[in-house]
Each structure stands twice: as C-alpha cells, then as structure tokens.
Amino acid sequence: MNTHWKYIAMALLMGTASCTTSTKEEKNPETTTGEPLSIILMIGDGMGVPQVSTAYYFGSDTPNFSRFKHIGLHKTSDKSHRITDSAAGATAFAIGQKTYKRAIGVSVDTIPQETIMEQLQKQGYQTGLISLTTITHATPASFYAHVKDRDMHEEIALQLATAKVDFLAGGGKKFFNKRADGKDLFKVLEDENYHLDTLELSKTELGKRNAYLLAEEGVPSKTEGRGEFLGDATALALDYFGQNGKPFFLMVEGSYIDWGGHAEDAEMMVSEVLDFDKTLGTVLDYVEKHPNTLLVVTADHETGGASIGKYYEVDESTGNKQEVPEKVSVNFNTDQHSGELIPVFAAGHGAENFQGIYENNEIYHKIRQAIDQKKK
C-alpha cells in the first residue's frame, strides 16, 4: 500500500511540475511569439585574449567583457594558410565555410557564396555595417561582396552601391567618387534611396537607407583623435533599426586593434580595445532591454603576438632595471598575425550555442542555429 501511494504522489508532483513549466512558457514571449531574432556581430579585428586582457589592466572601470556568461574559443586557420588574414577570417563568419587567404565572399575555387547578411535580407531583415576603416575593407566587405582578392576596392565599392545595406558607417570615400573608371557611386547610392552624409553622423532618415562615409580612407584612430565614432555610429544604427520595427543584422568592426598590433604600438592597441569595450557596453545594454537579440563578439585573428608582462623602470645612470609591482607592460613578438585561439563572447537568445572550442566558420552555423531555433 505504501508503495502504491508513493507512486501516486510522484505522479501528482510530476503533473504539478509540468503544469508550472507550461504556465511559465506561456508567459514568456520569447518562446511563443516566433518573432525573428535580431543579430549583432561585433568583430574586434586582431583581438585575441591578450588584447581583451588589456581592458582589465588599463581601463578605469570593470570591462564590459565581464558581463558575459557564455564564452568559447575558435580556431582561425584558413584553407591556404595556417595563419589567416581578415578576408578569409571574416568570410568564414559570413558564408560558413573556410576559404583561401585574401578571399572575399567566395569559396576556395572563387565561386561567390551567399552571405548570412544576404540571406537575411531576403527574409525581410534590415542590415547594417560599421567599420573604422574603409567600408570596402576586408572585414565589412566579406558580408556583401564577392571578389577573388581583398584589394579590389573599386569593384567591392561597386557591389556595395547596389547591395541594399540599410545602414553604413565608415570611411572609403575615394573608392566611390575618385575612381579609375570615372563612375560616381555617390549618385548611385542616392538613386538607391540613400540618405548620404560625407561630413558627420547626422540624424538618420526613416524611409531611406543611410550611409555615412566620413573619410577618404579610414577614419582616425583613437590616438589620432577619433572621438566617439564607433559608439555613436552603433547607437545610431540601433535606434534606426528600432524605429523601423523589423529584425536586423548588424556587424560592427573595431578595426584598429589590428593596426596597433601591426605597428607594435601598445598605446594605440590599448586605446582601441577600451573604445571597443565601451561600445560593447552600449550594445549589451541594448540586448538586456531587447532579449529577442543575439550578440556575438569575437575577432578574425590575433595581431602582434601580444602578451602582458612585467613593467620595469630603468636607471639611466646605471642601466639597472627594477620591476614596478603595480604596473604591467604590453609586449609584442611580431608585427604580423598570430595563430592564437580567439575568444568568442555571446549574450542573448541562443548564446549557449557558442561555448566550447570550434572552427571559425562554425560561428556562421551557430548564428543560423539560433535563428532557426527561434522559429520553432
């Protein structure tokens, strides 16, 4: 008899738990509405674990990187080189397959592949690209262009002019209006219903696409006085997408972390990481207020072989050096890219998919997985 009542009690408890779970699910719009998932992909070009670490040693506040609970690592090698470049790295994110070094949006045999941004456009998504370099540079180009070599800037610009990206911010004016073929791509953009500004991040115009091309090539670095362009452009894009009320895909590139590594310039690299982290705070605040969003933060590769080490002061008269316990130094062992594993931080809907260690092209598939999970 006791055993009989034990099983009845267990059945009742299980039924109660099931009802409770069902009630919670009904109250959670994330599991019932089927609203498409918005995607924000932030790429700190050249940003490995050492670069992220500098935010903890040189920033005045707790870095926004600390707000992530889901963290993984990806492997960067491409099909032609163990040490990749930004073109092959970003293309792996964009098309879901590894390709050769310098490739933009094409497979190993140079056949154009539809990017995740192009796929989502067909599904009614708004799209946006933000970069500190020319908007035709390797990282942003990999999401809309299809060329065999990253240095084909004029061809890349020609493709961008009709790619129907809703929000663009970066540099690269000369590839649009000072071209070898004499074409005026600014006019093409205006014919494609763009509000075009080449002077400042002016207010967006609803009912139009918006393009901000604010430098002949790249915008200045932080050490050259760039100001708050990265954060301001990102906030402007998010506000614009929100007013339109449709799901979106936004790629934001912190380009000059990479350039600081190439120059072996610790001040430049650190200032760019801190600027990226500040922008990250803005985006994380947005994700917390808009849970129907997936944020993925990563890099294409590490640059500089950077490390954080002891800081020494040298006595000029004797040549003796003494460690300063409360300081650290940034050291470089190359001015080129390295083969380090790259961190991946994720927040929002589907963030749990990004834990573990995997190939860089898996980021595309993990984003698609989150989008598809949301449809169910």
Side-chain angles (χ1 to χ4, degrees):
M1 182 66 69
N2 288 342
T3 302
H4 172 75
W5 284 109
K6 178 180 177 182
Y7 284 122
I8 292 176
M10 288 176 65
L12 288 170
L13 284 170
M14 291 175 68
T16 302
S18 176
C19 291
T20 303
T21 301
S22 175
T23 302
K24 286 182 179 179
E25 287 179 353
E26 289 172 3
K27 290 181 180 180
N28 185 355
E30 288 298 305
T31 61
T32 59
T33 63
E35 179 185 349
L37 184 66
S38 290
I39 306 295
I40 304 171
L41 175 60
M42 295 183 68
I43 300 175
D45 199 310
M47 184 182 72
V49 172
Q51 284 78 4
V52 172
S53 299
T54 64
Y56 290 83
Y57 287 103
F58 296 97
S60 57
D61 301 313
T62 301
N64 287 296
F65 289 109
S66 291
R67 296 167 66 178
F68 289 95
K69 305 301 180 188
H70 301 286
I71 302 170
L73 294 165
H74 76 74
K75 297 179 278 187
T76 64
S77 294
D78 59 52
K79 283 292 189 178
S80 63
H81 292 70
R82 297 288 281 173
I83 307 300
T84 196
D85 75 330
S86 295
T91 293
F93 301 154
I95 70 173
Q97 58 184 276
K98 288 179 179 283
T99 188
Y100 62 91
K101 191 173 181 179
R102 304 187 66 82
I104 297 289
V106 298
S107 62
V108 290
D109 46 6
T110 71
I111 296 175
Q113 303 294 307
E114 191 172 50
T115 70
I116 189 168
M117 192 177 78
E118 291 169 327
Q119 293 166 7
L120 293 177
Q121 278 181 326
K122 292 179 179 179
Q123 297 175 26
Y125 274 64
Q126 304 173 89
T127 54
L129 298 168
I130 298 170
S131 179
L132 301 176
T133 57
T134 168
I135 202 68
T136 61
H137 212 267
T139 301
S142 296
F143 290 89
Y144 64 84
H146 309 276
V147 296
K148 64 181 181 180
D149 188 272
R150 60 183 288 173
D151 282 347
M152 299 170 67
H153 287 279
E154 291 200 356
E155 173 59 28
I156 291 169
L158 189 64
Q159 293 185 30
L160 177 58
T162 56
K164 304 186 186 306
V165 181
D166 296 290
F167 185 98
L168 298 167
K173 287 193 289 185
K174 73 177 188 178
F175 300 118
F176 291 81
N177 68 342
K178 296 178 181 177
R179 299 168 54 85
D181 60 13
K183 292 181 179 179
D184 181 3
L185 297 188
F186 284 168
K187 184 178 185 309
V188 176
L189 286 171
E190 290 171 347
D191 291 343
E192 290 285 326
N193 195 35
Y194 276 91
H195 159 236
L196 174 64
D197 199 324
T198 61
L199 300 176
E200 63 178 350
L201 287 171
S202 55
K203 185 178 179 181
T204 57
E205 290 190 20
L206 294 181
K208 285 195 169 188
R209 302 184 181 99
N210 291 267
Y212 303 92
L213 302 175
L214 306 185
E216 289 298 307
E217 293 191 34
V219 299
S221 67
K222 285 297 285 186
T223 53
E224 294 170 332
R226 180 174 69 241
E228 302 302 318
F229 172 84
L230 190 64
D232 289 348
T234 302
L236 190 66
L238 293 173
D239 179 69
Y240 169 70
F241 292 145
Q243 290 185 68
N244 286 326
K246 296 193 299 181
F248 63 86
F249 174 92
L250 175 64
M251 191 286 296
V252 180
E253 182 194 20
S255 320
Y256 293 150
I257 301 170
D258 172 67
W259 291 36
H262 282 302
E264 299 185 65
D265 184 335
E267 180 186 3
M268 179 182 183
M269 188 190 79
V270 170
S271 65
E272 295 295 338
V273 171
L274 293 176
D275 186 52
F276 186 84
D277 182 71
K278 184 176 180 181
T279 303
L280 180 55
T282 298
V283 176
L284 281 166
D285 290 346
Y286 177 89
V287 173
E288 288 176 1
K289 294 176 183 176
H290 301 83
N292 195 48
T293 308
L294 169 64
L295 167 63
V296 180
V297 182
T298 190
D300 40 10
H301 54 73
E302 191 275 344
T303 306
S307 65
I308 311 300
K310 296 178 180 179
Y311 182 92
Y312 294 96
E313 286 185 349
V314 179
D315 187 320
E316 294 183 2
S317 61
T318 64
N320 294 333
K321 65 179 185 179
Q322 183 171 355
E323 182 182 353
V324 180
E326 65 274 15
K327 290 185 178 182
V328 298
S329 67
V330 176
N331 306 302
F332 299 96
N333 65 30
T334 180
D335 63 357
Q336 296 298 310
H337 300 168
S338 76
E340 294 185 11
L341 296 182
I342 297 300
V344 184
F345 304 87
H349 189 95
E352 66 280 0
N353 297 333
F354 293 84
Q355 298 177 151
I357 301 174
Y358 39 84
E359 300 292 344
N360 57 358
N361 60 303
E362 284 299 312
I363 289 176
Y364 164 95
H365 296 287
K366 291 175 182 296
I367 292 174
R368 291 283 351 174
Q369 179 185 3
I371 293 170
D372 293 341
Q373 285 174 337
K374 190 63 176 59
K375 294 177 182 177
K376 295 177 181 179

